[in-house]
Amino acid sequence: MSMKNKVSILGGGPAGMAIAHYAKKVGYNFELFEASDVLGGNCITLNENDFMFDSGAHRLHDKDPETTEVIKTLLKEDLQLINVPSQIMLDDEFIDFPLSPLELIKYLGLPSFFMEGLKILLYTQFKKSKPSNFKQLAEKSYGNKISNLFLLNYTEKLWGLPPERLSIQVAGNRLKGLNVKTFLKELFFGKQEKTVHLDGSFYYPKYGIGTIFDQIEQACGSNCFLRNNRITKIHHSNNRIHSLELNNHEQLHQVEHIASSLPLSLTINLLNPPAPKEIIDISNSLKFRNIILLAFFIDKETINSNGSMYFPSTRYPFTRIYEPRNRSKWMAPEGKTSLVVEIPCHKGDEIWTKDEDELTRDIISELLNLSFFKEEELIGNKIHRIHHAYPILEVGFEEKITLLYEYLNTFENIDITGRNGLFAYSHIHDHMINARTVVSNFSQNTNDAV
């Protein structure tokens, strides 16, 4: 293959790094521009005095064999298969999550459980219309009572919108297989027949999720990764992107082909000449959810055995807490542990703008009330903010995305990738799959041009 062709990758998150990996694999030249000095985007591992924690409770599920094999090859013995199931808190009790029938019976009582199961069967039998929003999907799967207890409040806290305004796509695969049939299967045949949706087994790197992207960089060669280079304009003419403005410098950087993993709205707003007003208006109507992470470092060997702990109650400002050492003992110094608290919010809202010391004190108070640790065991803490953590998938968002893609498809030499670029609730294996497709298209176009 000719080495004269080059793809310019915008954004060094998981999606951008995946394209870099496959471009390198097929011998295609690439350069990657990252605005910060850290690669990995919203999928990094931070280190504070030898306490390590990820920017979220990340996992690598074996959903795509090729992705799993690539990461096994990169990390070798540093990639471990672990089993740490998660739980959800309700009325000061933890129960299995995703939901377990046996735990639900203990919580609801047998008569109430079967009554809810009957309602689900009747709903499924007589209401044939497809759910049009997440609330309808949850109620079809669980019934009104169970979905309200466990799913709808949590979903509204996470996404910042009532569940009836959210697309069914926010569920991802979390509700796959969750219905009365699978519940009854577990109820009558026990945990040896436990359905796959409750599987807490996944791969995790010894030193945190960020090492995946450290290894991709190392394998590709660091000279191809251009940190501290923010894209400030994307110049185009005659239906082609021809150059990039970096860090507001007048001297432009020429490009042949670009793959953007930037937020979709940002990519469109960077175009020069500007996109049509109606396209800009649509892109600006897309919303993203931010996350504030608060990590607490604790002089205690362990808190509990959960992979993640979920909190649907509006009593708590956080949605999820995880203990990094439950993924790998190397994530904390020997004999110590940590807890990472996730608080979803919108940029500029009350939580996002709250004084950090005050917010930290508030969360410490909640954790002490939950008896996770004693005040004298707290060693320190760290706050980390995540911008554009989740694209908010409102009902009808697909129509907006279609119009934006139709416009971007008028350019001959741009591909869009990534969770925020594709505006999809996607994961590491999804980015790797998409990168293979994108790089395959590069290769095909190059061969066609020869």
Side-chain angles (χ1 to χ4, degrees), residues 6-52:
K6 178 182 286 188
V7 59
S8 300
I9 305 167
L10 313 188
M17 297 295 286
I19 289 182
H21 168 80
Y22 284 109
K24 174 71 173 181
K25 182 177 180 181
V26 301
Y28 203 103
N29 278 330
F30 75 89
E31 57 189 0
L32 184 149
F33 298 97
E34 166 56 38
S36 73
D37 60 357
V38 178
L39 297 174
N42 290 339
C43 201
I44 62 176
T45 300
L46 300 102
N47 190 324
E48 186 76 11
N49 298 323
D50 294 330
F51 287 93
M52 292 185 287

Side-chain angles (χ1 to χ4, degrees), residues 286-338:
L286 300 180
K287 300 173 185 174
F288 296 86
R289 195 71 159 150
N290 291 355
I291 295 284
I292 299 177
L293 296 181
L294 294 96
F296 298 95
F297 314 124
I298 303 158
D299 188 11
K300 184 177 180 179
E301 188 170 3
T302 185
I303 304 297
N304 57 40
S305 60
N306 288 323
S308 294
M309 296 172 279
Y310 297 93
F311 296 82
S313 172
T314 54
R315 165 186 165 188
Y316 304 104
F318 41 81
T319 48
R320 179 167 60 178
I321 298 177
Y322 60 97
E323 187 176 355
R325 67 166 289 112
N326 286 347
R327 286 164 163 74
S328 170
K329 67 178 183 178
W330 305 98
M331 298 295 284
E334 187 175 355
K336 296 175 173 52
T337 192
S338 60

Side-chain angles (χ1 to χ4, degrees), residues 263-282:
L264 182 57
S265 52
L266 178 58
T267 298
I268 288 175
N269 277 281
L270 290 175
L271 291 170
N272 186 43
K277 183 179 183 303
E278 59 269 25
I279 294 298
I280 293 175
D281 289 344
I282 292 171

